Amino acid sequence: MAARRRAGVLLAALLSACGRVGSGTFASTDPAALVNVFTGTDAGAPDFGTGGGAGNTFPGATVPFGLVQWSPETLPGLLNSPGGYDWGDATIRGFSLTHLSGAGCPTLQDVPFLPTTEPVAIAPVRAGTWEIEPRYLASFSHDAEQGAPGDYRVRLDPGTDREISVELSATTRTGAARLVFPGGREANLLVNAGGSSMANGDAVVAIDPERREVSGEVESGQFCFARNRYRVFFAAEFDRPFAAWGTWSRSVLSPGSTSASDHAEKPFHLRPISGIEVPPPVSNGAQAGAWISFAPGSTVSVRVGVSFTSVEGARANLRAENPGDEGVEEVRRRARAEWNEMLGRVRVEGGEEHDRRTFATMLYHALLAPNVFSDANGDYAGMDGIVHRAEGRVAYANFSGWDVYRSEIALLSILDPERAGDMAQSLVENAHESGWLPKWPVAAGQTDVMVGDPASPILAGAWAFGARGFDARAALDAMVKGATETGRSPNADYVERQGLDDYLRLGWVAQDESASNGGATSIFGSTDAVWGSAATTLEYAVADFAVARLAAELGERGLCEEFLRRSASWRNLWDPVARSLVPRFRDGRFLSPFVPESTVGWVEGSGAQYLWMVPQDVGGLVDAMGGESEARRRLADFFTELNAGPASRFAYLSNEPSSLTPWLWAWLGEPQRTRETVRRAILGLFHDGPGGYPGNDDLGQMSSWYVFGALGLYPAIPGTDVLVLGSPLFDAATVRLGAGRELRVVGRGARRDRPFATRVRLDGRDLDRSWVRFSELVAGATLDFDLAEAPPEGPGPATAAPPSFTASRDADACTPP
């Protein structure tokens, strides 16, 4: 396996090299040529320390933020890879229509299509399991596979008399495929309506031979074992008549049948997931599907529409986006053009070729989610179970809230403020429909996955970085409701802020009721269970600060001051004995003894890693530690390792709680150490091979972290437009801001081993601070860095610290900038 993986890495590098661009520029006309869609697909356990593995991405065909993401599902990695595909696998079980990129748990992967030359003599799904009968599975190799943005191709069973060529492409709401079957063998296509990663309700399929159509629906959900449900519909149309057809329901095969359905007898079933202990499956999900046959040697084109409202909605999406007068080549061409337009919004120049490939690949993955959720006519499934219409906007779904509020939403707001405004309005509508702002919504379902109240910093952050096309006052009302009221949504029994009563009464979420494994509490216990009391307290403080900032922007000074005070609740966890943030009980006692490496009271991290998660008040945290000298000592020790894993006193940069930490040196008067640490991280933890992520990409969050790091700036304080300055990896980068405006970031003397800045200028004027505001850049600006291998003597340029927002430290914190 190791040799196979090494060979695969070499092949991926060679494929990426096909996009080589002369004169050291980031493919100004075809940036998609630099993207390796296989980056992050090595679903093995992450290699802490050096990074690599468990990116959980997928390589299939899609367009930016596409509803349809048509990609292969492989075995045995399907058991462990939420992306559905593992670079180390050699077997394909189908090509599913929907995916999430980089999530920590399986979901979606709906309606896998599987071409086969095997006679359909038994039901394709094994009775009592979710597994495909082995006779129908197909082998593949990376030698017979290629992928690019909007384009995936593979030969199944290559080099045999069973070889089938598969080509996939996509529009926003539809997919296009071409299947080339061999002569002398049967030509069959299995459409597994019940093949979703967590199918748990109805599965329905229908065949219409006259229309050459297969359609259906499936109910699925339970993302990360939460209680969410969704229903997805499809309609597939073919360019040639069916020679034969039939259906199956569970183990019953019905040749000649044109319809089938099944209903799961139990409320949910679980697949085994590596590293998570869960009960054995209690249901095998709904099992129903269809097969259709063609003449041997046929070349078959299929167009499939997908909708979350109805089969007719799926058909209408086909008519609107993929009406049948063009083949897969034209769909692929248009998809490539869409990708080049979005990727071209950031153009880098100079630098090493493999760094340009990595940059393009990370930017690509940052543009995969959130996903379009409304039909071409604006209809979408609401969180109240009703179909609504998004008038004059697009509805979006699938927000990895706990992750993306940190930098992904800022990147999307900068690059595409209109789209980011629609995303923000989608969250506001989620609150209207379900009663509460979401935490980690999937399709039309609420989930209590992860902790905190991330919709608040997402909304305030979108506003701060220029996405203004949403109802900010309705957003603020929903943010305040979630921060001040308790209750449950009828959608998945959702609770927005667990432990809120304690937080309001005590000023912290008490450790007394903290669950040991929040990742598996929702379906096995109460949805109001607290996971990681201290981590949750810190997240609520960040969310409260976001409420304060949006209130300030809207002129609500009193509300801002109230929530600014609440954002200081992190101080209630400061243990003067341990000299650290420590989980605390209701009676006021701190958890003792405090062990920095312990994960008790924290979420996917340790006390040492969460010590630094006070972005709204870094100056206050430094004061609590005893001043800059002590903070420098502790931060230097923290970076003894960059990616030490969750139960460590060192950094864990592959997970979000540590995301801010390399940038903290700016508050300590040492921005050069920020530049050095960020450069170590982006060069040492990321690359463009299959294992090119240090951990889960989390729907683009880790990708966005890399993009900002390579550009040399970072949105360090959620809810504000403050950008802390690092150093650019490339000679120059041009970021399109819209309306002909551009941000130009120049790195004079840029090189991998030159992270240090000897001079920093904004529009030709020397900067005396280590940060800027996006409001200083949005009209068009040039940031200019002179770079060197060693830091300059003395304090160096641009050392004034970024702001820290507390009532005592910043009297104007509630005045819009």
Side-chain angles (χ1 to χ4, degrees):
M1 181 66 75
R4 184 171 180 272
R5 287 181 187 273
R6 285 194 294 271
V9 170
L10 177 60
L11 175 64
L14 292 172
L15 289 174
S16 293
C18 294
R20 188 167 296 163
V21 182
S23 71
T25 62
F26 173 25
S28 59
T29 59
D30 190 21
L34 290 175
V35 173
N36 183 0
V37 297
F38 295 98
T39 298
T41 62
D42 185 338
D47 180 9
F48 297 126
T50 61
N56 293 346
T57 60
F58 63 85
T62 188
V63 296
F65 313 102
L67 184 153
V68 168
Q69 301 187 329
W70 205 352
S71 189
E73 312 293 332
T74 66
L75 292 173
L78 181 67
L79 297 177
N80 297 315
S81 174
Y85 177 102
D86 186 345
W87 180 261
D89 288 345
T91 302
I92 286 179
R93 70 181 291 270
F95 301 89
S96 296
L97 296 169
T98 60
H99 288 80
L100 291 185
S101 179
C105 301
T107 193
L108 301 181
Q109 298 168 25
D110 298 305
V111 196
F113 285 53
L114 180 61
T116 179
T117 60
E118 284 294 312
V120 183
I122 61 174
V125 179
R126 281 187 165 183
T129 76
W130 56 268
E131 298 171 347
I132 298 294
E133 283 287 347
R135 69 178 64 188
Y136 299 116
L137 298 174
S139 68
F140 79 107
S141 74
H142 300 309
D143 292 333
E145 179 187 44
Q146 65 185 92
D151 180 13
Y152 177 83
R153 310 181 207 188
V154 68
R155 287 180 286 120
L156 304 180
D157 297 318
T160 73
D161 64 354
R162 303 182 305 278
E163 180 176 298
I164 301 171
S165 171
V166 178
E167 300 178 45
L168 306 178
S169 192
T171 71
T172 299
R173 301 170 180 87
T174 80
R178 178 164 52 209
L179 313 173
V180 181
F181 290 92
R185 301 289 300 238
E186 292 199 18
N188 299 317
L189 179 64
L190 310 178
V191 182
N192 187 1
S196 305
S197 65
M198 299 288 277
N200 50 63
D202 299 320
V204 179
V205 67
I207 304 171
D208 187 335
E210 291 188 6
R211 294 180 59 169
R212 303 175 185 174
E213 180 193 75
V214 178
S215 62
E217 64 186 85
V218 63
E219 184 180 19
S220 189
Q222 269 120 35
F223 174 63
C224 283
F225 321 120
R227 299 180 181 182
N228 65 297
R229 297 286 188 96
Y230 67 85
R231 191 174 291 267
V232 63
F233 305 83
F234 70 96
E237 297 182 3
F238 297 81
D239 70 338
R240 61 185 56 248
F242 307 155
W245 55 85
T247 64
W248 73 86
S249 179
R250 303 200 181 188
S251 60
V252 178
L253 191 69
S254 301
S257 167
T258 58
S259 64
S261 63
D262 187 30
H263 179 77
E265 296 180 356
K266 301 288 185 179
F268 60 84
H269 88 288
L270 305 174
R271 273 192 188 148
I273 295 178
S274 176
I276 299 178
E277 294 184 5
V278 298
V282 296
S283 166
N284 299 308
Q287 297 176 3
W291 89 89
I292 50 178
S293 300
F294 304 94
S298 292
T299 295
V300 179
S301 293
V302 55
R303 300 171 300 113
V304 55
V306 180
S307 170
F308 286 84
T309 64
S310 65
V311 168
E312 186 50 46
R315 291 178 180 136
N317 288 339
L318 260 184
R319 291 192 295 270
E321 295 183 2
N322 196 355
D325 53 357
E326 54 193 34
V328 68
E329 294 92 346
E330 177 59 19
V331 175
R332 187 160 55 221
R333 186 197 65 77
R334 288 194 283 117
R336 181 77 161 217
E338 286 189 54
W339 275 114
N340 280 332
E341 197 283 326
M342 281 302 301
L343 293 168
R345 297 189 183 197
V346 185
R347 187 176 69 253
V348 300
E349 304 166 32
E352 297 189 15
E353 183 181 329
H354 56 91
D355 289 327
R356 295 195 300 275
R357 291 200 307 265
T358 300
F359 185 89
T361 297
M362 296 301 154
L363 182 58
Y364 166 84
H365 284 101
L367 302 175
L368 290 174
N371 303 99
V372 169
F373 192 59
S374 51
D375 290 339
N377 69 352
D379 286 355
Y380 70 94
M383 284 193 169
D384 52 4
I386 298 171
V387 173
H388 298 262
R389 177 158 293 184
E391 299 285 358
R393 66 180 182 89
V394 175
Y396 287 83
N398 308 327
F399 291 78
S400 184
W402 184 77
D403 309 289
V404 301
Y405 82 77
R406 301 169 201 265
S407 60
E408 166 80 350
I409 197 65
L411 180 65
L412 299 186
S413 298
I414 291 170
L415 297 183
D416 197 340
E418 181 178 355
R419 190 189 303 267
D422 284 353
M423 292 173 179
Q425 186 61 35
S426 297
L427 295 178
V428 175
E429 298 301 331
N430 290 163
H432 288 165
E433 295 154 8
S434 73
W436 305 90
L437 284 169
K439 192 180 268 96
W440 214 123
V442 175
Q446 295 278 25
T447 82
D448 279 299
V449 173
M450 301 312 297
V451 300
D453 192 6
S456 289
I458 288 174
L459 291 165
W463 182 274
F465 283 98
R468 302 297 171 89
F470 67 99
D471 188 340
R473 291 208 169 268
L476 182 61
D477 289 344
M479 292 158 69
V480 171
K481 177 186 176 183
T484 58
E485 299 180 24
T486 60
R488 295 175 184 271
S489 170
N491 185 316
D493 202 28
Y494 171 73
V495 175
E496 184 174 337
R497 286 203 186 194
Q498 290 88 349
L500 181 60
D501 286 337
D502 276 351
Y503 184 74
L504 295 177
R505 181 172 59 89
L506 302 171
W508 67 90
V509 178
Q511 175 66 14
D512 304 61
E513 303 298 331
S514 189
S516 61
N517 182 6
T521 57
S522 295
I523 60 175
F524 306 128
S526 172
T527 53
D528 61 6
V530 172
W531 178 24
S533 65
T536 300
T537 299
L538 297 183
E539 293 285 358
Y540 288 171
V542 171
D544 286 345
F545 177 73
V547 176
R549 293 308 303 156
L550 189 57
E553 292 284 345
L554 299 182
E556 300 286 348
R557 187 175 185 87
L559 188 63
C560 172
E561 291 173 346
E562 174 190 348
F563 276 85
L564 191 65
R565 288 190 294 270
R566 286 179 47 158
S567 74
S569 60
W570 66 269
R571 295 176 181 272
N572 297 322
L573 297 183
W574 187 261
D575 181 350
V577 176
R579 300 182 66 200
S580 192
L581 297 170
V582 180
R584 194 172 186 182
F585 295 95
R586 286 196 184 98
D587 62 8
R589 290 178 299 114
F590 291 99
L591 183 67
S592 182
F594 173 67
V595 180
E597 298 87 350
S598 173
T599 61
V600 175
W602 310 102
V603 173
E604 297 187 1
S606 67
Q609 292 157 359
Y610 271 91
L611 167 64
W612 307 99
M613 214 200 84
V614 188
Q616 72 277 18
D617 194 12
V618 176
L621 178 65
V622 170
D623 289 345
M625 288 183 184
E628 289 185 3
S629 178
E630 175 63 10
R632 289 191 197 104
R633 183 194 68 78
R634 295 177 73 166
L635 192 58
D637 179 72
F638 184 70
F639 285 119
T640 299
E641 297 181 33
L642 292 182
N643 196 36
S648 172
R649 67 186 178 92
F650 302 126
Y652 179 25
L653 290 180
S654 65
N655 211 14
E656 281 71 17
S658 290
S659 294
L660 172 65
T661 53
W663 304 88
L664 291 173
W665 291 110
W667 277 269
L668 303 177
E670 297 197 33
Q672 303 290 4
R673 296 181 78 171
T674 278
R675 296 176 179 118
E676 178 185 32
T677 307
V678 171
R679 184 64 55 86
R680 283 172 57 204
I682 65 172
L683 296 185
L685 299 180
F686 296 83
H687 58 82
D688 74 327
Y693 285 89
N696 302 163
D697 189 32
D698 294 319
L699 277 63
Q701 169 54 30
M702 294 307 298
S703 293
S704 71
W705 193 90
Y706 174 94
V707 168
F708 275 118
L711 290 175
L713 60 170
Y714 184 74
I717 310 174
T720 76
D721 68 342
V722 171
L723 292 161
V724 174
L725 300 178
S727 58
L729 180 61
F730 301 101
D731 294 346
T734 303
V735 182
R736 283 168 40 197
L737 303 175
R741 295 169 287 118
E742 293 181 340
L743 167 63
R744 181 87 169 158
V745 182
V746 178
R748 300 182 187 278
R751 216 169 59 194
R752 282 181 137 228
D753 61 352
R754 288 182 173 176
F756 302 105
T758 59
R759 189 180 185 189
V760 183
R761 283 155 290 178
L762 174 60
D763 291 331
R765 301 185 305 276
D766 285 309
L767 273 177
D768 63 354
R769 50 193 162 93
S770 59
W771 59 283
V772 295
R773 289 190 180 277
F774 182 65
S775 58
E776 298 176 87
L777 312 178
V778 69
T782 298
L783 274 171
D784 214 325
F785 297 78
D786 291 351
L787 302 174
E789 294 181 39
E793 295 290 335
T799 58
S804 296
F805 293 90
T806 67
S808 60
R809 188 175 286 271
D810 186 349
D812 295 324
C814 286
T815 299

